[in-house]
Each structure stands twice: as structure tokens, then as C-alpha cells.
Amino acid sequence: MHRPFFIDLRSLPEGGNDLTGQEIPAFFALDAKDPVQAISPLKYDLHVERDGKELLISGKLEATFSLECGACLERFDYHVEVTDYQSEIEIAKDDTINLTDTIREDTLLTLPSYPRCEDGNVRPRQCPAEGRFEPALETAPDEPQSAGPGVWEALNKLN
């Protein structure tokens, strides 16, 4: 069974271990209805090393996703490349640690929170909805000077 992110701490060498490879897009376990979809494998080149009561993970992660634009609802591609990936996991006991969730979550957290077409870094484009949903500026009419006590005067009376 292929389980590259399962680290057996009892057999981890003193200098750590290198993990290099790729995982199919299904690795991200995203629902088919999710506005985020992985469209390429996750490529990884990681070093895993024990430091006392912590497991240190460092290296590079890379994947491409299809995101849904928050303005026009069209899909666009977004490439994630984390060249200085760093993570620490506390070691509870000398057993096997599964890094799958950590790697998955850390990769997904690099995606934009409010994706827009112009965020696309694979095939950049302008969002077709650009400018259509700009809020109209609402300004309060100027208060005439003779309108009586202003709002600031009312607040001063409270003190």
C-alpha cells in the first residue's frame, strides 16, 4: 500500500528522511460540488526530521487547482507552489505519524480565501464581472448649520 506520509518514528534515521514524489488529485479529498478542485497531482519534495519531541517537515509542495470566481462564478486555474514549506508536529509517542492531513490542509490554506479570476496565475485574465458589482457610494446629505444641535452636541450632553 502506497502511504508516503506515514512516518514510523522508531525507524526514522538520525538525520531524517527525504520524501519525494506525487499524489493523485484525489489526495485532497475534495467534494465534487466544492468550488475548489485539484486538477494536477500534488508534487512534493520534503525532508522529515525529528527534533526532540517534534517532527520537523520542510521542503516544497506544488499543485494546480481549478477555483470558482466569487464574482462571475466562472472557473479559473490557480497554481500553488510552496518552495519554503515548514511545519512542526508534536510527537506524543514513538509510533507512526500520519502527515497526510497536515500536508493536505497546509496546501489548501495557500489558496485565496475569496478567489477572483484575476488571481489566476496559470492563464491570467480579467474577470468578466469586473465593475458590475461595485457598491454605490452613499453619502449623507450635509446638515444645515441652523438645524439645531448637531449629533456631536447631543453626545456632549451625555457627559
Side-chain angles (χ1 to χ4, degrees), residues 11-45:
S11 63
L12 187 64
E14 179 81 20
N17 198 10
D18 292 326
L19 306 172
T20 303
Q22 61 183 16
E23 293 295 317
I24 62 173
F27 167 80
F28 291 101
L30 297 166
D31 186 89
K33 296 176 188 167
D34 198 304
V36 174
Q37 294 297 315
I39 58 174
S40 81
L42 168 71
K43 296 177 185 174
Y44 57 90
D45 186 6

PDB file of all heavy atoms in Angstrom, residues 11-45:
ATOM      1  N   SER A  11      11.851   3.952  13.215  1.00  0.00           N
ATOM      2  CA  SER A  11      12.858   3.633  12.185  1.00  0.00           C
ATOM      3  C   SER A  11      13.342   4.877  11.426  1.00  0.00           C
ATOM      4  O   SER A  11      14.028   4.741  10.421  1.00  0.00           O
ATOM      5  CB  SER A  11      12.287   2.602  11.206  1.00  0.00           C
ATOM      6  OG  SER A  11      11.182   3.142  10.520  1.00  0.00           O
ATOM      7  N   LEU A  12      12.990   6.051  11.914  1.00  0.00           N
ATOM      8  CA  LEU A  12      13.437   7.288  11.267  1.00  0.00           C
ATOM      9  C   LEU A  12      14.928   7.488  11.557  1.00  0.00           C
ATOM     10  O   LEU A  12      15.338   7.529  12.721  1.00  0.00           O
ATOM     11  CB  LEU A  12      12.628   8.481  11.792  1.00  0.00           C
ATOM     12  CG  LEU A  12      12.846   9.822  11.104  1.00  0.00           C
ATOM     13  CD1 LEU A  12      12.399   9.758   9.636  1.00  0.00           C
ATOM     14  CD2 LEU A  12      12.071  10.916  11.822  1.00  0.00           C
ATOM     15  N   PRO A  13      15.767   7.607  10.515  1.00  0.00           N
ATOM     16  CA  PRO A  13      17.208   7.780  10.741  1.00  0.00           C
ATOM     17  C   PRO A  13      17.517   9.068  11.509  1.00  0.00           C
ATOM     18  O   PRO A  13      16.724  10.018  11.514  1.00  0.00           O
ATOM     19  CB  PRO A  13      17.785   7.862   9.322  1.00  0.00           C
ATOM     20  CG  PRO A  13      16.729   7.375   8.411  1.00  0.00           C
ATOM     21  CD  PRO A  13      15.419   7.568   9.103  1.00  0.00           C
ATOM     22  N   GLU A  14      18.685   9.101  12.128  1.00  0.00           N
ATOM     23  CA  GLU A  14      19.136  10.259  12.923  1.00  0.00           C
ATOM     24  C   GLU A  14      19.051  11.565  12.127  1.00  0.00           C
ATOM     25  O   GLU A  14      18.613  12.582  12.639  1.00  0.00           O
ATOM     26  CB  GLU A  14      20.573  10.025  13.387  1.00  0.00           C
ATOM     27  CG  GLU A  14      21.165  11.157  14.189  1.00  0.00           C
ATOM     28  CD  GLU A  14      20.755  11.138  15.645  1.00  0.00           C
ATOM     29  OE1 GLU A  14      20.336  10.068  16.134  1.00  0.00           O
ATOM     30  OE2 GLU A  14      20.851  12.184  16.289  1.00  0.00           O
ATOM     31  N   GLY A  15      19.474  11.558  10.870  1.00  0.00           N
ATOM     32  CA  GLY A  15      19.470  12.761  10.031  1.00  0.00           C
ATOM     33  C   GLY A  15      18.155  13.004   9.321  1.00  0.00           C
ATOM     34  O   GLY A  15      18.041  13.915   8.509  1.00  0.00           O
ATOM     35  N   GLY A  16      17.153  12.202   9.603  1.00  0.00           N
ATOM     36  CA  GLY A  16      15.860  12.367   8.969  1.00  0.00           C
ATOM     37  C   GLY A  16      15.723  11.560   7.698  1.00  0.00           C
ATOM     38  O   GLY A  16      16.547  10.689   7.406  1.00  0.00           O
ATOM     39  N   ASN A  17      14.682  11.868   6.951  1.00  0.00           N
ATOM     40  CA  ASN A  17      14.370  11.121   5.740  1.00  0.00           C
ATOM     41  C   ASN A  17      13.832  12.089   4.688  1.00  0.00           C
ATOM     42  O   ASN A  17      13.146  13.055   5.022  1.00  0.00           O
ATOM     43  CB  ASN A  17      13.327  10.050   6.061  1.00  0.00           C
ATOM     44  CG  ASN A  17      13.265   8.965   5.017  1.00  0.00           C
ATOM     45  OD1 ASN A  17      14.101   8.887   4.131  1.00  0.00           O
ATOM     46  ND2 ASN A  17      12.258   8.112   5.122  1.00  0.00           N
ATOM     47  N   ASP A  18      14.132  11.825   3.431  1.00  0.00           N
ATOM     48  CA  ASP A  18      13.616  12.632   2.331  1.00  0.00           C
ATOM     49  C   ASP A  18      12.444  11.915   1.679  1.00  0.00           C
ATOM     50  O   ASP A  18      12.496  10.702   1.454  1.00  0.00           O
ATOM     51  CB  ASP A  18      14.709  12.886   1.290  1.00  0.00           C
ATOM     52  CG  ASP A  18      15.805  13.790   1.823  1.00  0.00           C
ATOM     53  OD1 ASP A  18      15.492  14.694   2.626  1.00  0.00           O
ATOM     54  OD2 ASP A  18      16.976  13.600   1.440  1.00  0.00           O
ATOM     55  N   LEU A  19      11.396  12.679   1.385  1.00  0.00           N
ATOM     56  CA  LEU A  19      10.206  12.157   0.708  1.00  0.00           C
ATOM     57  C   LEU A  19      10.035  12.938  -0.586  1.00  0.00           C
ATOM     58  O   LEU A  19       9.881  14.155  -0.558  1.00  0.00           O
ATOM     59  CB  LEU A  19       8.957  12.340   1.570  1.00  0.00           C
ATOM     60  CG  LEU A  19       8.981  11.789   2.989  1.00  0.00           C
ATOM     61  CD1 LEU A  19       7.741  12.232   3.748  1.00  0.00           C
ATOM     62  CD2 LEU A  19       9.074  10.281   2.963  1.00  0.00           C
ATOM     63  N   THR A  20      10.064  12.248  -1.701  1.00  0.00           N
ATOM     64  CA  THR A  20       9.888  12.886  -3.000  1.00  0.00           C
ATOM     65  C   THR A  20       8.912  12.049  -3.810  1.00  0.00           C
ATOM     66  O   THR A  20       8.988  10.824  -3.814  1.00  0.00           O
ATOM     67  CB  THR A  20      11.225  12.982  -3.751  1.00  0.00           C
ATOM     68  OG1 THR A  20      12.152  13.703  -2.946  1.00  0.00           O
ATOM     69  CG2 THR A  20      11.068  13.699  -5.066  1.00  0.00           C
ATOM     70  N   GLY A  21       7.973  12.730  -4.482  1.00  0.00           N
ATOM     71  CA  GLY A  21       7.021  12.007  -5.317  1.00  0.00           C
ATOM     72  C   GLY A  21       5.828  12.873  -5.647  1.00  0.00           C
ATOM     73  O   GLY A  21       5.889  14.098  -5.597  1.00  0.00           O
ATOM     74  N   GLN A  22       4.733  12.207  -5.965  1.00  0.00           N
ATOM     75  CA  GLN A  22       3.488  12.917  -6.252  1.00  0.00           C
ATOM     76  C   GLN A  22       2.298  12.064  -5.865  1.00  0.00           C
ATOM     77  O   GLN A  22       2.381  10.841  -5.825  1.00  0.00           O
ATOM     78  CB  GLN A  22       3.417  13.362  -7.699  1.00  0.00           C
ATOM     79  CG  GLN A  22       3.464  12.278  -8.736  1.00  0.00           C
ATOM     80  CD  GLN A  22       3.452  12.874 -10.142  1.00  0.00           C
ATOM     81  OE1 GLN A  22       3.685  14.051 -10.357  1.00  0.00           O
ATOM     82  NE2 GLN A  22       3.172  12.034 -11.113  1.00  0.00           N
ATOM     83  N   GLU A  23       1.206  12.754  -5.566  1.00  0.00           N
ATOM     84  CA  GLU A  23      -0.056  12.115  -5.195  1.00  0.00           C
ATOM     85  C   GLU A  23      -1.122  12.563  -6.183  1.00  0.00           C
ATOM     86  O   GLU A  23      -1.139  13.723  -6.603  1.00  0.00           O
ATOM     87  CB  GLU A  23      -0.475  12.512  -3.775  1.00  0.00           C
ATOM     88  CG  GLU A  23       0.442  11.996  -2.695  1.00  0.00           C
ATOM     89  CD  GLU A  23       0.424  10.481  -2.597  1.00  0.00           C
ATOM     90  OE1 GLU A  23      -0.663   9.893  -2.660  1.00  0.00           O
ATOM     91  OE2 GLU A  23       1.518   9.901  -2.480  1.00  0.00           O
ATOM     92  N   ILE A  24      -2.017  11.672  -6.529  1.00  0.00           N
ATOM     93  CA  ILE A  24      -3.077  11.995  -7.491  1.00  0.00           C
ATOM     94  C   ILE A  24      -3.992  13.086  -6.921  1.00  0.00           C
ATOM     95  O   ILE A  24      -4.051  13.278  -5.698  1.00  0.00           O
ATOM     96  CB  ILE A  24      -3.891  10.732  -7.865  1.00  0.00           C
ATOM     97  CG1 ILE A  24      -4.590  10.142  -6.638  1.00  0.00           C
ATOM     98  CG2 ILE A  24      -2.997   9.700  -8.550  1.00  0.00           C
ATOM     99  CD1 ILE A  24      -5.544   9.011  -6.961  1.00  0.00           C
ATOM    100  N   PRO A  25      -4.723  13.816  -7.781  1.00  0.00           N
ATOM    101  CA  PRO A  25      -5.590  14.895  -7.300  1.00  0.00           C
ATOM    102  C   PRO A  25      -6.595  14.454  -6.228  1.00  0.00           C
ATOM    103  O   PRO A  25      -6.966  15.248  -5.361  1.00  0.00           O
ATOM    104  CB  PRO A  25      -6.314  15.369  -8.568  1.00  0.00           C
ATOM    105  CG  PRO A  25      -5.341  15.066  -9.671  1.00  0.00           C
ATOM    106  CD  PRO A  25      -4.681  13.778  -9.253  1.00  0.00           C
ATOM    107  N   ALA A  26      -7.002  13.194  -6.242  1.00  0.00           N
ATOM    108  CA  ALA A  26      -7.942  12.698  -5.234  1.00  0.00           C
ATOM    109  C   ALA A  26      -7.354  12.754  -3.824  1.00  0.00           C
ATOM    110  O   ALA A  26      -8.091  12.661  -2.840  1.00  0.00           O
ATOM    111  CB  ALA A  26      -8.368  11.274  -5.575  1.00  0.00           C
ATOM    112  N   PHE A  27      -6.058  12.926  -3.708  1.00  0.00           N
ATOM    113  CA  PHE A  27      -5.398  13.061  -2.412  1.00  0.00           C
ATOM    114  C   PHE A  27      -6.050  14.156  -1.572  1.00  0.00           C
ATOM    115  O   PHE A  27      -6.139  14.058  -0.352  1.00  0.00           O
ATOM    116  CB  PHE A  27      -3.905  13.376  -2.632  1.00  0.00           C
ATOM    117  CG  PHE A  27      -3.187  13.847  -1.405  1.00  0.00           C
ATOM    118  CD1 PHE A  27      -2.744  12.937  -0.456  1.00  0.00           C
ATOM    119  CD2 PHE A  27      -2.953  15.196  -1.188  1.00  0.00           C
ATOM    120  CE1 PHE A  27      -2.078  13.367   0.677  1.00  0.00           C
ATOM    121  CE2 PHE A  27      -2.283  15.629  -0.063  1.00  0.00           C
ATOM    122  CZ  PHE A  27      -1.847  14.713   0.881  1.00  0.00           C
ATOM    123  N   PHE A  28      -6.532  15.222  -2.212  1.00  0.00           N
ATOM    124  CA  PHE A  28      -7.095  16.361  -1.494  1.00  0.00           C
ATOM    125  C   PHE A  28      -8.498  16.090  -0.956  1.00  0.00           C
ATOM    126  O   PHE A  28      -9.011  16.879  -0.172  1.00  0.00           O
ATOM    127  CB  PHE A  28      -7.079  17.613  -2.372  1.00  0.00           C
ATOM    128  CG  PHE A  28      -5.685  18.117  -2.609  1.00  0.00           C
ATOM    129  CD1 PHE A  28      -5.040  17.856  -3.801  1.00  0.00           C
ATOM    130  CD2 PHE A  28      -5.008  18.805  -1.632  1.00  0.00           C
ATOM    131  CE1 PHE A  28      -3.750  18.299  -4.018  1.00  0.00           C
ATOM    132  CE2 PHE A  28      -3.711  19.248  -1.821  1.00  0.00           C
ATOM    133  CZ  PHE A  28      -3.080  18.988  -3.024  1.00  0.00           C
ATOM    134  N   ALA A  29      -9.115  14.999  -1.357  1.00  0.00           N
ATOM    135  CA  ALA A  29     -10.423  14.578  -0.842  1.00  0.00           C
ATOM    136  C   ALA A  29     -11.458  15.701  -0.882  1.00  0.00           C
ATOM    137  O   ALA A  29     -12.201  15.916   0.072  1.00  0.00           O
ATOM    138  CB  ALA A  29     -10.278  14.030   0.583  1.00  0.00           C
ATOM    139  N   LEU A  30     -11.525  16.400  -2.005  1.00  0.00           N
ATOM    140  CA  LEU A  30     -12.492  17.488  -2.164  1.00  0.00           C
ATOM    141  C   LEU A  30     -13.792  16.949  -2.743  1.00  0.00           C
ATOM    142  O   LEU A  30     -13.775  16.123  -3.654  1.00  0.00           O
ATOM    143  CB  LEU A  30     -11.913  18.571  -3.074  1.00  0.00           C
ATOM    144  CG  LEU A  30     -10.657  19.256  -2.540  1.00  0.00           C
ATOM    145  CD1 LEU A  30      -9.971  20.050  -3.637  1.00  0.00           C
ATOM    146  CD2 LEU A  30     -11.015  20.147  -1.364  1.00  0.00           C
ATOM    147  N   ASP A  31     -14.903  17.429  -2.227  1.00  0.00           N
ATOM    148  CA  ASP A  31     -16.218  17.029  -2.710  1.00  0.00           C
ATOM    149  C   ASP A  31     -16.393  17.513  -4.149  1.00  0.00           C
ATOM    150  O   ASP A  31     -15.912  18.595  -4.514  1.00  0.00           O
ATOM    151  CB  ASP A  31     -17.301  17.638  -1.802  1.00  0.00           C
ATOM    152  CG  ASP A  31     -18.680  17.144  -2.156  1.00  0.00           C
ATOM    153  OD1 ASP A  31     -19.089  16.101  -1.611  1.00  0.00           O
ATOM    154  OD2 ASP A  31     -19.341  17.796  -2.991  1.00  0.00           O
ATOM    155  N   ALA A  32     -17.091  16.755  -4.958  1.00  0.00           N
ATOM    156  CA  ALA A  32     -17.306  17.112  -6.366  1.00  0.00           C
ATOM    157  C   ALA A  32     -18.044  18.442  -6.513  1.00  0.00           C
ATOM    158  O   ALA A  32     -17.918  19.119  -7.532  1.00  0.00           O
ATOM    159  CB  ALA A  32     -18.078  16.009  -7.077  1.00  0.00           C
ATOM    160  N   LYS A  33     -18.816  18.857  -5.497  1.00  0.00           N
ATOM    161  CA  LYS A  33     -19.560  20.122  -5.545  1.00  0.00           C
ATOM    162  C   LYS A  33     -18.758  21.293  -4.989  1.00  0.00           C
ATOM    163  O   LYS A  33     -19.217  22.428  -5.011  1.00  0.00           O
ATOM    164  CB  LYS A  33     -20.847  19.981  -4.752  1.00  0.00           C
ATOM    165  CG  LYS A  33     -21.804  18.958  -5.329  1.00  0.00           C
ATOM    166  CD  LYS A  33     -23.005  18.781  -4.452  1.00  0.00           C
ATOM    167  CE  LYS A  33     -23.852  17.621  -4.955  1.00  0.00           C
ATOM    168  NZ  LYS A  33     -24.854  17.207  -3.994  1.00  0.00           N
ATOM    169  N   ASP A  34     -17.570  21.024  -4.485  1.00  0.00           N
ATOM    170  CA  ASP A  34     -16.733  22.060  -3.885  1.00  0.00           C
ATOM    171  C   ASP A  34     -16.282  23.045  -4.965  1.00  0.00           C
ATOM    172  O   ASP A  34     -15.943  22.639  -6.077  1.00  0.00           O
ATOM    173  CB  ASP A  34     -15.505  21.405  -3.238  1.00  0.00           C
ATOM    174  CG  ASP A  34     -14.827  22.307  -2.238  1.00  0.00           C
ATOM    175  OD1 ASP A  34     -14.446  23.432  -2.625  1.00  0.00           O
ATOM    176  OD2 ASP A  34     -14.678  21.900  -1.080  1.00  0.00           O
ATOM    177  N   PRO A  35     -16.254  24.356  -4.677  1.00  0.00           N
ATOM    178  CA  PRO A  35     -15.787  25.327  -5.676  1.00  0.00           C
ATOM    179  C   PRO A  35     -14.284  25.237  -5.940  1.00  0.00           C
ATOM    180  O   PRO A  35     -13.781  25.865  -6.849  1.00  0.00           O
ATOM    181  CB  PRO A  35     -16.157  26.681  -5.075  1.00  0.00           C
ATOM    182  CG  PRO A  35     -16.362  26.433  -3.627  1.00  0.00           C
ATOM    183  CD  PRO A  35     -16.756  25.000  -3.468  1.00  0.00           C
ATOM    184  N   VAL A  36     -13.587  24.442  -5.152  1.00  0.00           N
ATOM    185  CA  VAL A  36     -12.159  24.194  -5.345  1.00  0.00           C
ATOM    186  C   VAL A  36     -11.988  22.747  -5.776  1.00  0.00           C
ATOM    187  O   VAL A  36     -12.515  21.842  -5.147  1.00  0.00           O
ATOM    188  CB  VAL A  36     -11.371  24.430  -4.039  1.00  0.00           C
ATOM    189  CG1 VAL A  36      -9.917  24.037  -4.209  1.00  0.00           C
ATOM    190  CG2 VAL A  36     -11.510  25.860  -3.575  1.00  0.00           C
ATOM    191  N   GLN A  37     -11.244  22.530  -6.866  1.00  0.00           N
ATOM    192  CA  GLN A  37     -10.966  21.178  -7.349  1.00  0.00           C
ATOM    193  C   GLN A  37      -9.497  21.066  -7.718  1.00  0.00           C
ATOM    194  O   GLN A  37      -8.948  21.962  -8.376  1.00  0.00           O
ATOM    195  CB  GLN A  37     -11.823  20.844  -8.577  1.00  0.00           C
ATOM    196  CG  GLN A  37     -13.309  20.764  -8.301  1.00  0.00           C
ATOM    197  CD  GLN A  37     -13.650  19.646  -7.328  1.00  0.00           C
ATOM    198  OE1 GLN A  37     -13.154  18.529  -7.443  1.00  0.00           O
ATOM    199  NE2 GLN A  37     -14.499  19.955  -6.360  1.00  0.00           N
ATOM    200  N   ALA A  38      -8.866  19.999  -7.283  1.00  0.00           N
ATOM    201  CA  ALA A  38      -7.476  19.738  -7.683  1.00  0.00           C
ATOM    202  C   ALA A  38      -7.486  19.202  -9.111  1.00  0.00           C
ATOM    203  O   ALA A  38      -8.264  18.316  -9.435  1.00  0.00           O
ATOM    204  CB  ALA A  38      -6.844  18.725  -6.736  1.00  0.00           C
ATOM    205  N   ILE A  39      -6.628  19.762  -9.968  1.00  0.00           N
ATOM    206  CA  ILE A  39      -6.584  19.308 -11.364  1.00  0.00           C
ATOM    207  C   ILE A  39      -5.214  18.765 -11.746  1.00  0.00           C
ATOM    208  O   ILE A  39      -5.015  18.354 -12.889  1.00  0.00           O
ATOM    209  CB  ILE A  39      -7.027  20.414 -12.341  1.00  0.00           C
ATOM    210  CG1 ILE A  39      -6.160  21.655 -12.203  1.00  0.00           C
ATOM    211  CG2 ILE A  39      -8.498  20.746 -12.134  1.00  0.00           C
ATOM    212  CD1 ILE A  39      -6.446  22.728 -13.245  1.00  0.00           C
ATOM    213  N   SER A  40      -4.291  18.776 -10.794  1.00  0.00           N
ATOM    214  CA  SER A  40      -2.981  18.170 -11.057  1.00  0.00           C
ATOM    215  C   SER A  40      -2.566  17.385  -9.821  1.00  0.00           C
ATOM    216  O   SER A  40      -3.100  17.597  -8.736  1.00  0.00           O
ATOM    217  CB  SER A  40      -1.937  19.253 -11.368  1.00  0.00           C
ATOM    218  OG  SER A  40      -1.455  19.840 -10.175  1.00  0.00           O
ATOM    219  N   PRO A  41      -1.607  16.514  -9.986  1.00  0.00           N
ATOM    220  CA  PRO A  41      -1.107  15.811  -8.800  1.00  0.00           C
ATOM    221  C   PRO A  41      -0.412  16.782  -7.844  1.00  0.00           C
ATOM    222  O   PRO A  41       0.059  17.843  -8.263  1.00  0.00           O
ATOM    223  CB  PRO A  41      -0.085  14.826  -9.365  1.00  0.00           C
ATOM    224  CG  PRO A  41      -0.310  14.777 -10.825  1.00  0.00           C
ATOM    225  CD  PRO A  41      -0.964  16.062 -11.212  1.00  0.00           C
ATOM    226  N   LEU A  42      -0.364  16.407  -6.591  1.00  0.00           N
ATOM    227  CA  LEU A  42       0.454  17.119  -5.619  1.00  0.00           C
ATOM    228  C   LEU A  42       1.878  16.606  -5.793  1.00  0.00           C
ATOM    229  O   LEU A  42       2.127  15.411  -5.662  1.00  0.00           O
ATOM    230  CB  LEU A  42      -0.022  16.837  -4.189  1.00  0.00           C
ATOM    231  CG  LEU A  42       0.935  17.296  -3.093  1.00  0.00           C
ATOM    232  CD1 LEU A  42       0.943  18.820  -2.993  1.00  0.00           C
ATOM    233  CD2 LEU A  42       0.577  16.678  -1.759  1.00  0.00           C
ATOM    234  N   LYS A  43       2.794  17.504  -6.101  1.00  0.00           N
ATOM    235  CA  LYS A  43       4.212  17.140  -6.189  1.00  0.00           C
ATOM    236  C   LYS A  43       4.866  17.596  -4.896  1.00  0.00           C
ATOM    237  O   LYS A  43       4.625  18.711  -4.435  1.00  0.00           O
ATOM    238  CB  LYS A  43       4.872  17.803  -7.390  1.00  0.00           C
ATOM    239  CG  LYS A  43       4.312  17.342  -8.712  1.00  0.00           C
ATOM    240  CD  LYS A  43       4.953  18.084  -9.866  1.00  0.00           C
ATOM    241  CE  LYS A  43       4.291  17.697 -11.172  1.00  0.00           C
ATOM    242  NZ  LYS A  43       4.787  18.493 -12.292  1.00  0.00           N
ATOM    243  N   TYR A  44       5.688  16.732  -4.321  1.00  0.00           N
ATOM    244  CA  TYR A  44       6.333  17.085  -3.057  1.00  0.00           C
ATOM    245  C   TYR A  44       7.791  16.655  -3.057  1.00  0.00           C
ATOM    246  O   TYR A  44       8.180  15.678  -3.681  1.00  0.00           O
ATOM    247  CB  TYR A  44       5.591  16.468  -1.871  1.00  0.00           C
ATOM    248  CG  TYR A  44       5.466  14.963  -1.928  1.00  0.00           C
ATOM    249  CD1 TYR A  44       6.436  14.141  -1.371  1.00  0.00           C
ATOM    250  CD2 TYR A  44       4.370  14.368  -2.556  1.00  0.00           C
ATOM    251  CE1 TYR A  44       6.323  12.765  -1.422  1.00  0.00           C
ATOM    252  CE2 TYR A  44       4.252  12.994  -2.617  1.00  0.00           C
ATOM    253  CZ  TYR A  44       5.228  12.191  -2.056  1.00  0.00           C
ATOM    254  OH  TYR A  44       5.122  10.829  -2.112  1.00  0.00           O
ATOM    255  N   ASP A  45       8.574  17.455  -2.385  1.00  0.00           N
ATOM    256  CA  ASP A  45       9.989  17.174  -2.157  1.00  0.00           C
ATOM    257  C   ASP A  45      10.252  17.665  -0.735  1.00  0.00           C
ATOM    258  O   ASP A  45      10.486  18.855  -0.509  1.00  0.00           O
ATOM    259  CB  ASP A  45      10.854  17.915  -3.175  1.00  0.00           C
ATOM    260  CG  ASP A  45      12.324  17.541  -3.066  1.00  0.00           C
ATOM    261  OD1 ASP A  45      12.662  16.629  -2.281  1.00  0.00           O
ATOM    262  OD2 ASP A  45      13.137  18.186  -3.750  1.00  0.00           O
TER     263      ASP A  45
END
